Amino acid sequence: MYGCGAMFLRHKIRRKDGKLHRTFSIVENRRVAGGRVVQRHVLYLGEINDSQQQAWRKSIEVFDEGAAQSRTLSLFPEDRCEGLLADASIVQLKLSEMRLCRPRQWGACWLVLRLWRELQLDRFRAERLPASRKHTRWDDILLVLLAHRLLAPGSEWRLHRKWFERTALADLLGGDFGLAEIHKLYACHDRLLAHKQAVFAHLRGRWRDLFNARFDVLLYDLTSTYFESAPPFPEGDKRRHGYSRDRRSDCVQIVIALVVTPEGLPLAYEVLAGNTADKTTLRGFLARIEAQYGKASRIWLMDRGIPTEAVLAEMRSADPPVCYLVGTPKGRLTRLERELLAKPWQQARSGVQVKLLAQDGELYVFAESHDRVGKERAMRRRQLKWLWARLAQLAAMRLTREELLMKLGAARSQAPTAWRLVKITVEQQNASFSYRLERDKLRQVRRREGRYLLRTNLTSDDPAQLWGYYLQLVAVEQAFKSLKDELGIRPIFHQLERRIEAHVFIAFLAYCLQVTLRQRLRAFAPGLTPRSVFEKFAAVQMIDVQVPATDGREIVLTRYTEPEPELKLLLHHLRLDLPAQPPPRITAGAIIPPATL
């Protein structure tokens, strides 16, 4: 039952800038399971005067819905009851007064619930997050958090205040507003981290059962995400300033290390301090994966900067050896350039050719992609053309030396790649400068555009296979893109470290649901994204159809809208069947519609 209660004005007093400020909000009491009453923040009004307060108090209506009684009734329109015998089972309806109430999003929420059950997280979580003695359903609250992260990522406060009421999650889960009580949302965070390793093991089994996934090739990478909070933080806290991949060096951050399969199926992650260097993380992660999944012949794919020479040596000397394919800094290319020139090109695939160089127990793979050559060359030419024109403009201007330096700095930030190819000399005594193209650097850049140097200890010398392995690194990059752009993992507003890590854990689980849908879509529409599918399902709304009766009662039919033809096609290909419509219910008394505020 969707329980509504009384709304009222609540005020808070706080001191700011030496003054007392009295702010008002409209708050609603909601009765939930167990007879408890929780409060929902409805509307923030700010500082209002006495007359405004009085106006708001007059506008607030109290409305209630009587208890539903399950009975078999005969329904007739009001104007067609002549000749019928008086009978308590006959209800005469006022069709002219029919109302459509509480439109709410149903389709996408239902799809999230199906994905949750497909991964069997409902059973897994019910065992580890059982209801409390006060009948708090922690597993359902977690599902609400995941649905919010997938469909409309934002803060828990936004979920509590706005989003939950606009969805049909309470209908789907057989719950009420208690699932979005703000304190319970935060308390759910505090119960999650103890089950992280168990979730990793559970997911590995589900990936194998659902998609026949193999774990002999693993992708490893790191990213960072920032916070809207200010230091100092306690000793040992993971929130630290460090190299920011989000270009927010002004904010503290954490580092997230992630392991996925080539299909993008996530296996494990770790939250590290924000100032953690990439090269210090690999050894520990190799040990964790080996401890959890046992020793096996795995291939690790990584970008440059992650492994150190010492760790790579350990991987080669392990029993059995741990195989790897890793990007290589361009400094090593300079050192190996002479040996590579003597090697012949081999065709890896259409538009890609490679050179192979065996050295010191490793195989170096020098690859050239014709498409990438054209792209990087066009980007470099565009930047250089713009920079050259800008320098000519600055040379013709009458500027002070300080103004000139500032404008040169702006030009450098606008075209960093081209800036490295131009020699600029600023006079010490006046506001003049000279510039020239460094042709030796340009020749070197041209030779390396669209080319990559990889290193591996794999015994395979098949160029196509080695290049294919390297292209799979796109999967982990896509995982980070989804976490940041679609699931809204950044910025993080939590202030407690355990809740920060729980926030990442919730985003990780949401990504697991998203990638499950993506795997389903690949079977019939590889170009169709989970985001577009959720948007299609979101078009299905749930509405309460309220029809008053002549005796003061009211029939309530809760119905979801008919799916559009394109959604029916999606349901067919995904092999999904929508559930039956909920049964009607009758209220003991008429519902008073809320006043228009």
Side-chain angles (χ1 to χ4, degrees), residues 388-435:
W388 202 258
R390 181 57 176 163
L391 292 176
Q393 290 175 356
L394 294 180
M397 293 181 183
R398 299 184 62 181
L399 304 169
T400 65
R401 193 171 189 278
E402 290 74 14
E403 290 174 337
L404 175 63
L405 292 176
M406 291 179 63
K407 290 184 180 295
L408 287 174
R412 178 179 181 176
S413 63
Q414 186 76 14
T417 301
W419 184 272
R420 292 190 287 269
L421 304 177
V422 178
K423 175 69 174 178
I424 298 176
T425 305
V426 180
E427 298 294 335
Q428 294 290 333
Q429 304 300 324
N430 51 49
S432 62
F433 70 100
S434 60
Y435 57 96

Side-chain angles (χ1 to χ4, degrees), residues 221-284:
D221 205 353
L222 301 99
T223 191
S224 59
T225 185
Y226 62 91
F227 296 82
E228 295 290 349
S229 56
F233 299 107
E235 186 68 27
D237 196 288
K238 292 181 179 178
R239 286 168 286 186
R240 290 287 182 266
H241 285 284
Y243 169 67
S244 174
R245 296 163 176 84
D246 301 318
R247 298 180 182 176
R248 288 298 306 269
S249 57
D250 58 316
C251 295
V252 292
Q253 63 179 21
I254 55 171
V255 169
I256 302 173
L258 180 66
V259 174
V260 302
T261 69
E263 297 80 22
L265 303 173
L267 290 182
Y269 77 93
E270 198 65 37
V271 176
L272 308 168
N275 58 356
T276 303
D278 292 0
K279 62 183 181 182
T280 64
T281 65
L282 180 58
R283 182 182 283 112

Side-chain angles (χ1 to χ4, degrees), residues 162-196:
K162 296 181 178 180
W163 185 76
F164 184 80
E165 289 286 85
R166 298 173 183 174
T167 72
L169 280 170
D171 304 84
L172 289 166
L173 298 175
D176 49 35
F177 187 72
L179 296 174
E181 187 180 351
I182 188 65
H183 303 295
K184 297 295 175 60
L185 295 175
Y186 288 126
C188 185
H189 283 68
D190 299 334
R191 288 166 166 78
L192 298 180
L193 293 180
H195 310 295
K196 189 167 77 168

